[in-house]
Amino acid sequence: MNNNYKKLTTSRITISELMLPSHTNFSGKIHGGYILGLMDQIAFASASKYSGKYCVTASVDKVDFLNPIDVGELVTMKASVNYVGNSSMVVGIRVTSENIQTGKIKHCNSSYFTMVAKDENGTTVSVPRPLITSLEEVRRFHKTLKRINFRKRHNQNQENFNYTSSEAYETLKSLNVKVDL
C-alpha cells in the first residue's frame, strides 16, 4: 500500500500566451489544433509536477470549442490534477481568452486529459495518493470518477451492440440512410 500522499494543489499550473497571426486557421481564427497542443503541454506539466515523473497522454475527453479565439487575444489555461488512480491522473483544463484592449473574457473550452506516469524505461509507475484539501477538490474528484464509470458502462454497451442486427438497420433506415452492401 502506498502511504505517499501529495496535495492536489501542487499540480496547479496557469499559462498565458498571446495569440499571433501564425496561429490562425483558414478563417482567421486561432486554430483548434494549436490550442489542443497547448492543452497537451499544460496537462503534461500538471501531471508531471504532481507525480514527479515523466507523463504521457493516454486519452483526451470530449473537447468542445465553445467560443472562437481571435488574433491578439491573451489565452489563459488553468490546469490541475482532479483525479488520481494507481499510475494515471486526470487533469482538468479550462481555457479562456481575453481581449486585452477591452478586458472581455470568454470561456473557450474545458477538457480532461488522462495522463500516465512512466519511469526512465517507459514502464508505468505508481503516483502519490491524493491529499484533498478543499470542497472544490472533492467535487472535481467525484465528477471525474462519475465520468470514468459512465465511460466504462458506455464502452461495455458499445461492445455488446450487434451492428448487423435488424435493430441497427431499422435505426439507419429511420435516419434516411441507404445501406447497399
Side-chain angles (χ1 to χ4, degrees), residues 1-6 127-129:
M1 180 92 187
N2 186 348
N3 291 324
N4 181 21
Y5 288 87
K6 195 166 186 180
V127 297
R129 303 307 308 144

Side-chain angles (χ1 to χ4, degrees), residues 42-43 46-47 79-82 89-93 111-115:
I42 196 170
S46 178
S80 66
V81 170
N82 290 350
M89 297 148 283
V90 175
V91 177
I93 303 168
S111 188
Y112 303 94
F113 282 56
T114 301
M115 308 298 289

Side-chain angles (χ1 to χ4, degrees), residues 71-135:
V71 171
E73 289 185 332
L74 184 66
V75 167
T76 299
M77 296 186 183
K78 293 182 178 186
S80 66
V81 170
N82 290 350
Y83 171 85
V84 178
N86 181 40
S87 61
S88 65
M89 297 148 283
V90 175
V91 177
I93 303 168
R94 180 179 174 89
V95 180
T96 59
S97 68
E98 178 182 4
N99 180 313
I100 56 177
Q101 294 170 329
T102 66
K104 182 181 178 191
I105 296 174
K106 300 180 289 190
H107 177 208
C108 298
N109 68 42
S110 294
S111 188
Y112 303 94
F113 282 56
T114 301
M115 308 298 289
V116 176
K118 304 280 187 170
D119 66 14
E120 56 280 344
N121 300 316
T123 305
T124 301
V125 294
S126 295
V127 297
R129 303 307 308 144
L131 174 58
I132 295 175
T133 59
S134 73
L135 292 176

Side-chain angles (χ1 to χ4, degrees), residues 6 8 20 37 44 61 68 74-75 79 99 137 161 166 180:
K6 195 166 186 180
L8 291 178
L20 304 174
F44 164 81
D61 234 8
L74 184 66
V75 167
N99 180 313
E137 290 173 351
F161 185 74
S166 59
D180 186 15

Side-chain angles (χ1 to χ4, degrees), residues 24-82:
T24 60
N25 59 24
F26 294 112
S27 69
K29 301 296 182 185
I30 301 305
H31 195 287
Y34 183 74
I35 297 300
L36 283 172
L38 291 175
M39 292 171 75
D40 192 49
Q41 289 176 32
I42 196 170
F44 164 81
S46 178
S48 294
K49 189 175 176 191
Y50 175 81
S51 67
K53 304 290 181 187
Y54 177 77
C55 294
V56 297
T57 306
S59 69
V60 179
D61 234 8
K62 180 177 164 181
V63 178
D64 289 323
F65 291 95
L66 305 172
N67 288 295
I69 301 170
D70 295 311
V71 171
E73 289 185 332
L74 184 66
V75 167
T76 299
M77 296 186 183
K78 293 182 178 186
S80 66
V81 170
N82 290 350

